[in-house]
Amino acid sequence: EWYESKMAAKRKRVKEDEIVDAPSLKPETDNAELPAHAAVKTPFKNPAAAPHAQKRNRNYKQIVAAIRAQKWPPNASNYVNISAPPSLLPAKKYSDISGLIAPYTDPKTGLRYHDTAEFKFISTLSQEAVSQYLALRGVVPAT
């Protein structure tokens, strides 16, 4: 009952208020020769704006050929001679067993490991296997 009375009062108010004509999307003039979508005015488009030229995607060979055709200073960086200064961040250390990031190093063997499961595996390795893992990393084991 309460909701119905509320809606009835709202309908009565809307009928009593003067409704001003809102702008419509209908064409201002009747142009029979234009298609229907062309006759609708769109307020968000600028009619004076030029259509965008479609960009052409180029592959790597075309980019390199265009760069080589230009005259570049000898020290300029581009796709042909990419050179960057050395990183200021410390080098990441990876596990000798799994290849994951290794926050730990076994002090006894010098092998890097990721978690406790790898540490348990390292503790079961023989000295020969440890030296082979270190050789893979490029470290000469201390004897």
Side-chain angles (χ1 to χ4, degrees), residues 69-104:
Q70 295 176 357
K71 293 187 178 183
W72 292 90
N75 295 335
S77 295
N78 53 37
Y79 280 101
V80 179
N81 62 347
I82 297 176
S83 59
S87 176
L88 299 176
L89 299 174
K92 288 188 177 182
K93 298 176 182 176
Y94 295 99
S95 170
D96 293 316
I97 309 301
S98 66
L100 298 172
I101 293 178
Y104 313 108

Side-chain angles (χ1 to χ4, degrees), residues 80-138:
V80 179
N81 62 347
I82 297 176
S83 59
S87 176
L88 299 176
L89 299 174
K92 288 188 177 182
K93 298 176 182 176
Y94 295 99
S95 170
D96 293 316
I97 309 301
S98 66
L100 298 172
I101 293 178
Y104 313 108
T105 303
D106 181 20
K108 187 176 177 183
T109 61
L111 288 175
R112 296 179 183 152
Y113 60 96
H114 178 71
D115 57 6
T116 56
E118 289 182 20
F119 180 72
K120 289 177 185 175
F121 176 74
I122 289 172
S123 63
T124 63
L125 291 175
S126 66
Q127 186 59 35
E128 184 180 325
V130 169
S131 61
Q132 287 176 350
Y133 273 112
L134 289 173
L136 283 174
R137 189 173 15 133

Side-chain angles (χ1 to χ4, degrees), residues 34-58:
L34 291 176
H37 70 277
V40 176
K41 278 193 163 187
T42 51
F44 52 85
K45 286 188 176 179
N46 183 359
H52 294 290
Q54 195 167 9
K55 289 186 177 182
R56 195 176 123 226
N57 294 331
R58 299 186 299 169

